[in-house]
Amino acid sequence: MKFAYSWLKELVDIRLSPDKLAEFLSLHAFETEADADQKVFSGIIVAKVTKIEKHPNADRLRIITLTDGRNTFGPVVCGAWNFDVGATVPLALPGGIIPHDQHDPDGKPFTLSKAIIRGVESQGMICSAKELGLGADGGGILLLDSGSKLGEPFAIKNSSSEPMLDVSVPANRPDLISYRGVAWEISALTGAKYKIKNKKSKLANLPSKVLKVRISDPALCSKYIGVRLVNIKIKESPKFIQDRLKLSGMRPINNVVDITNYVMLEIGQPLHAFDATMVTGPINVRKAYLNESLKTLDGVERKLTTNMLVIADAKKPLAIAGVMGGAESAVIDFTGEVILEAANFNSVSIRRTARNLGLRTDASSRFEKSLPVGLAMAAAEYAVELLVKYASAKPLEYAEAGIKKEKPITVKVDAKKVNALLGTDISVSEQERILKRFGFALQASHSTLQVTVPFWRPDVRIWEDLAEEIVRFEGLDKIPDALAPLPNSSGMTDQIVDEHERVADLLTGMGFNEAYTYSFVPESIFDKYGIDRKQAVEIANPMSSDQQYLRQGLGMNYERLIGQNGRYVSEESLFEIGNVYRKTNGSVEEHTNLFLICFSKTRQPAGKLIGSIRELFGRLGVEMSIAQVDEEMGEVSADGEKLGPIRAVNEELKWAAAELNFEKLIKHIKPKQFVPPSKYPAEELDAAILVREDLPWGEIKELILKSNKQLIKSATLFDVYQGKNVSPGKKSLGFRIVYQADNRTLKDEEVTKIHKEILNELKSKFHAEIRD
């Protein structure tokens, strides 16, 4: 979240430069960066729209073609309608970094990849201001100046007169999503004077004659405040409010709406203003009725479900609680009387509603962080003060419902335990002084502190949390280096994780690349592979129709993947270790699989896959076998237990794949044993042979190793060749065989004899031709 340095300076007496302040906060509080003169976005370029077509399968989507002045890009599927042909826009290409994921509750960045959207492959993304982290508008595309140079990396120059601090707000610190919260933190850490003084509430002295509020579902709304103000004069808000809203990515509308947004930014509490003439009877915070709907401020008629919380009057819903207000009760140019709302809603309920509606707003993103109840009154007081000053408002009535005040949390902490945990020697009085700086109230008795947690710090619940406050004030760099006493790790490791790393290392060393695919699959894939859909696990709120179900096998995503990769490489070997899901008797079963696939445009890669599996199993100490099922299918077993199928397909793009139960496999892995190296010299001889191309090299290696287990230490494939001087349907393999005894030096005659026996056995079993 970005904070204007000048606004923070109005709230706290900052003596550090933006760069120094960012560095200090990163060391003592939270990751902070001072904006550079120019921010360049990775993988996003300036492009012009050259063609717009209707999406064949979705009325709200369009297919866009663009140019960077030299190259053409597209198709790009887009759901925004605020631009036409000729518009200059930021275009993210596959591999580019999108700074803000609108579908992620925390808005984390993500790497863009090609995606199938309603049957059309989108080869890029045209970005909104919100997706770029430059504003709150996520409904429309960010339109660039027509003078922007096409093809250049998209970049934003920061205003030198308004330096900004980019704060990475921890998920459990709702106090830091506001200017006052960050200012208080700066004051506590640096000792700078905090300029905001607490004022005694005057709103509660107002009468409640016409205005009445009621909470029908206290589990979803713990506090609701309503203030009725009259004599409102709608006009533009003051320039400083407009400027600060713009810096925060918000569009100024009018003085009333702007003030609610301004207070939300400064205090962290979302507010809403209703046109009082459109409210009939008492306000009721309730769940939506069956088949109820509401036209929201963005002009969309939204169907509500009975688990969504709404703000309603006696006749109709007025707003979707914590998400967005209704269009009918919105403040307009002729509004003369408003009802100001300040409330506290259940974070889980708001998150679920926003996700189900596909409507994430600045208000919902704050309520999702479990705001303290005490913020509601503070925000209402401040908003009324500004409305009186800048909208000529007169407060007339006040009404509230819900809890009056949250019961404070108290935590007992022993100063000696704090030092033992941190490895420090901080005195009791110093610990007490630090905690008071952060706003904690204390009662001390010898080395024990009874600490009362301020209402704005819901993240502090146990004494270790207080130890963290103490050490970050001192500075993590001040903790002396020391070896920590570590408990015995026996029984604390996860075998699947350990073996995942081991198997991944082995396969990578054998030329495979590890892949990661989505756990989601479309409904159409079940018919394609003849899989019973009743066993599929359906997702309640899929992000798209292509992600409606959880995968039942890792290979379900790979046909499309190798088709895409096959456009760029002639052959490739991939593996993935991941979870698969199946519904059985109403419950969801989940287990881990290992998937391997080799593909090639020129040759059948089944031999390589089988040889690689044999090599892998051999290194793991597992006895492997493959039983033929039909021309294309086989069954892989470990020590007689079936692990899963192996399949080879000989089409234009030839491929072979195996999907094995990883949990069953690791049960057969032999524990590693140390074998001391022989002190006698080894002798290496090479064997170059010509065999049929579909013969797995692992079978040849297996025969070599079994021919003399005492003297043959290893057999390594070092060369595979097909081409000139090699007959069609054949391949040339080169093995390096290491001979070594544990108790004596081998003689040349002995090694030569064994080597000839191996070559003869290869001729006999595999009809191999020995090459010079």
Side-chain angles (χ1 to χ4, degrees):
M1 185 172 177
K2 291 183 184 271
F3 294 87
Y5 179 75
S6 60
W7 191 350
L8 286 171
K9 285 197 71 170
E10 282 191 10
L11 304 176
V12 61
D13 189 17
I14 301 174
R15 302 295 176 89
L16 299 172
S17 68
D19 288 335
K20 292 293 184 184
L21 180 60
E23 182 181 347
F24 179 83
L25 290 176
S26 295
L27 287 172
H28 292 270
F30 33 78
E31 187 178 351
T32 308
E33 292 182 0
D35 271 4
D37 291 337
Q38 180 169 270
K39 180 179 180 181
V40 179
F41 293 77
S42 175
I44 303 177
I45 64 169
V46 177
K48 179 183 282 188
V49 177
T50 58
K51 186 178 180 181
I52 298 178
E53 300 174 278
K54 185 180 180 299
H55 194 294
N57 304 318
D59 292 338
R60 293 189 178 184
L61 300 177
R62 301 190 293 176
I63 298 175
I64 316 299
T65 303
L66 307 98
T67 181
D68 66 352
R70 292 185 299 175
N71 305 304
T72 299
F73 300 94
V76 174
V77 178
C78 184
W81 288 71
N82 66 320
F83 65 94
D84 291 309
V85 171
T88 304
V89 296
L91 171 65
L93 300 173
I97 306 297
I98 307 299
H100 184 100
D101 186 350
Q102 296 195 74
H103 300 294
D104 184 275
D106 297 317
K108 296 177 181 176
F110 68 97
T111 302
L112 183 68
S113 59
K114 295 178 183 179
I116 305 294
I117 302 177
R118 301 296 293 272
V120 175
E121 184 180 60
S122 182
Q123 300 183 18
M125 175 177 171
I126 309 174
C127 304
S128 67
K130 189 169 188 177
E131 289 160 340
L132 295 168
L134 300 176
D137 185 6
I141 296 305
L142 178 65
L143 301 178
L144 307 180
D145 189 290
S146 58
S148 300
K149 191 171 181 180
L150 297 182
E152 289 287 310
F154 176 65
I156 291 292
K157 288 187 176 180
N158 298 318
S159 169
S160 58
S161 61
E162 285 292 350
M164 304 288 288
L165 295 177
D166 193 350
V167 173
S168 180
V169 179
N172 64 340
R173 293 291 303 272
D175 55 309
L176 299 180
I177 57 175
S178 68
Y179 273 84
R180 288 191 184 183
V182 173
W184 175 266
E185 194 78 5
I186 293 170
S187 173
L189 289 167
T190 65
K193 182 181 178 182
Y194 184 68
K195 299 178 182 180
I196 302 297
K197 294 182 179 180
N198 292 327
K199 297 178 182 179
K200 191 174 180 180
S201 175
K202 297 179 181 178
L203 290 180
N205 298 328
L206 294 173
S208 177
K209 296 178 180 178
V210 177
L211 181 62
K212 305 290 181 184
V213 299
R214 179 163 63 95
I215 299 174
S216 295
D217 199 327
L220 300 184
C221 178
S222 53
K223 181 83 170 180
Y224 192 93
I225 292 173
V227 184
R228 184 164 162 252
L229 301 103
V230 296
N231 297 339
I232 298 288
K233 299 290 187 279
I234 300 295
K235 55 186 178 182
E236 285 189 352
S237 54
K239 185 177 184 302
F240 80 93
I241 290 181
Q242 292 190 49
D243 290 344
R244 287 177 175 177
L245 291 180
K246 290 175 183 176
L247 277 174
S248 301
M250 292 183 171
R251 179 171 58 90
I253 298 174
N254 58 51
N255 51 351
V256 173
V257 175
D258 291 354
I259 284 170
T260 62
N261 286 330
Y262 184 85
V263 172
M264 177 182 70
L265 292 173
E266 184 165 319
I267 293 183
Q269 169 71 44
L271 302 170
H272 187 69
F274 300 101
D275 186 323
T277 61
M278 304 305 294
V279 179
T280 305
I283 289 176
N284 183 17
V285 186
R286 60 169 173 82
K287 286 183 178 178
Y289 297 146
L290 188 65
N291 298 324
E292 202 165 33
S293 64
L294 175 69
K295 187 176 183 179
T296 47
L297 288 170
D298 56 0
V300 178
E301 188 75 26
R302 301 188 184 273
K303 293 181 180 179
L304 308 176
T305 59
T306 54
N307 64 348
M308 295 179 180
L309 196 68
V310 297
I311 313 301
D313 62 13
K315 294 183 177 181
K316 61 189 179 301
L318 303 170
I320 302 170
V323 180
M324 186 177 281
E328 185 179 341
S329 58
V331 173
I332 57 175
D333 291 346
F334 305 105
T335 298
E337 182 178 331
V338 301
I339 295 174
L340 179 70
E341 167 195 288
N344 186 273
F345 301 114
N346 178 275
S347 60
V348 176
S349 171
I350 299 303
R351 186 181 298 113
R352 184 188 299 119
T353 298
R355 186 177 65 243
N356 289 349
L357 293 173
L359 182 64
R360 195 163 187 269
T361 61
D362 288 296
S364 70
S365 65
R366 284 167 170 79
F367 280 121
E368 287 172 11
K369 295 186 180 296
S370 299
L371 297 181
V373 171
L375 287 183
M377 177 59 83
E381 288 277 1
Y382 189 38
V384 168
E385 178 186 328
L386 295 178
L387 288 169
V388 169
K389 189 173 183 179
Y390 298 115
S392 306
K394 179 182 177 182
L396 197 64
E397 291 187 83
Y398 171 87
E400 70 171 54
I403 61 176
K404 295 286 184 182
K405 191 176 181 182
E406 287 178 301
K407 184 179 179 180
I409 299 293
T410 58
V411 180
K412 187 179 290 186
V413 57
D414 188 324
K416 293 179 182 177
K417 281 188 175 182
V418 171
N419 283 323
L421 177 68
L422 302 177
T424 54
D425 187 22
I426 304 171
S427 67
V428 179
S429 59
E430 179 63 9
Q431 291 186 29
E432 186 176 355
R433 184 185 73 84
I434 292 170
L435 292 174
K436 283 182 177 179
R437 288 272 289 266
F438 283 115
F440 297 93
L442 295 100
Q443 289 182 338
S445 176
H446 302 293
S447 67
T448 301
L449 303 175
Q450 188 77 19
V451 181
T452 301
V453 180
F455 76 89
W456 63 84
R457 289 298 302 274
D459 59 302
V460 177
R461 288 294 179 266
I462 56 178
W463 73 266
E464 288 88 347
D465 294 332
L466 296 170
E468 183 182 354
E469 296 297 294
I470 293 167
V471 73
R472 72 185 182 88
F473 180 89
E474 290 289 308
L476 296 174
D477 55 328
K478 301 293 175 59
I479 297 178
D481 294 335
L483 290 173
L486 297 176
N488 191 324
S489 63
S490 177
M492 297 177 64
T493 58
D494 187 328
Q495 187 184 9
I496 289 183
V497 174
D498 289 345
E499 298 300 349
H500 181 154
E501 293 180 2
R502 181 181 175 189
V503 170
D505 287 343
L506 289 172
L507 288 171
T508 303
M510 292 157 59
F512 282 74
N513 291 317
E514 186 167 11
Y516 295 89
T517 60
Y518 285 119
S519 297
F520 315 114
V521 293
E523 183 178 16
S524 59
I525 205 163
F526 295 101
D527 294 330
K528 182 173 184 178
Y529 291 110
I531 300 173
D532 187 358
R533 205 168 309 171
K534 293 179 182 178
Q535 296 180 335
V537 180
E538 186 171 4
I539 298 170
N541 301 294
M543 290 186 287
S544 71
S545 59
D546 290 337
Q547 300 181 340
Q548 194 171 351
Y549 292 87
L550 290 175
R551 63 190 178 191
Q552 287 180 264
L554 298 179
M556 297 177 84
N557 284 320
Y558 274 84
E559 186 171 345
R560 184 176 68 182
L561 176 63
I562 64 172
Q564 293 172 341
N565 288 11
R567 290 185 291 179
Y568 306 103
V569 294
S570 60
E571 60 182 39
E572 190 173 28
S573 299
L574 303 170
F575 77 93
E576 180 173 3
I577 301 173
N579 288 0
V580 295
Y581 312 85
R582 184 183 299 271
K583 195 189 312 180
T584 305
N585 298 325
S587 62
V588 177
E589 293 181 356
E590 178 180 355
H591 68 266
T592 307
N593 277 4
L594 165 63
F595 180 78
L596 305 101
I597 188 167
C598 303
F599 71 85
S600 173
K601 292 180 179 178
T602 58
R603 54 184 173 177
Q604 172 55 260
K608 178 180 180 181
L609 177 67
I610 295 171
S612 298
I613 296 175
R614 288 187 185 278
E615 178 76 6
L616 173 66
F617 279 40
R619 295 191 186 188
L620 296 174
V622 178
E623 189 71 30
M624 171 207 167
S625 63
I626 298 178
Q628 191 77 22
V629 176
D630 56 36
E631 290 184 0
E632 289 189 351
M633 296 284 291
E635 184 79 36
V636 179
S637 297
D639 297 327
E641 182 179 18
K642 293 181 179 179
L643 299 184
I646 184 168
R647 184 184 179 205
V649 174
N650 191 12
E651 297 175 343
E652 182 179 352
L653 184 64
K654 303 169 180 63
W655 58 268
E659 181 146 2
L660 312 177
N661 188 310
F662 191 67
E663 294 168 17
K664 289 183 179 180
L665 170 61
I666 62 177
K667 292 177 184 177
H668 298 277
I669 296 177
K670 306 295 188 296
K672 295 179 181 178
Q673 293 182 336
F674 172 72
V675 178
S678 174
K679 59 184 179 181
Y680 297 97
E683 188 168 347
E684 296 181 357
L685 292 179
D686 292 345
I689 59 175
L690 201 64
V691 295
R692 67 179 194 276
E693 68 173 345
D694 62 342
L695 178 64
W697 61 266
E699 293 187 17
I700 299 171
K701 177 178 177 178
E702 187 176 10
L703 183 146
I704 295 172
L705 293 173
K706 285 182 177 179
S707 62
N708 194 316
K709 292 183 178 180
Q710 280 74 37
L711 300 183
I712 297 177
K713 296 301 181 184
S714 66
T716 306
L717 178 71
F718 69 86
D719 181 60
V720 179
Y721 175 72
Q722 284 179 284
K724 188 177 180 182
N725 298 327
V726 173
S727 303
K730 298 279 189 176
K731 62 183 176 184
S732 173
L733 302 178
F735 285 90
R736 181 154 296 144
I737 306 172
V738 177
Y739 300 90
Q740 187 178 36
D742 296 327
N743 56 359
R744 58 192 170 86
T745 300
L746 293 175
K747 296 179 179 179
D748 290 343
E749 300 83 10
E750 186 179 7
V751 173
T752 303
K753 180 183 177 184
I754 299 171
H755 195 70
K756 287 182 178 179
E757 289 173 354
I758 291 173
L759 296 179
N760 289 331
E761 198 169 349
L762 292 175
K763 289 180 185 179
S764 173
K765 185 169 182 179
F766 300 122
H767 305 290
E769 298 177 39
I770 310 303
R771 305 188 75 195
D772 294 331

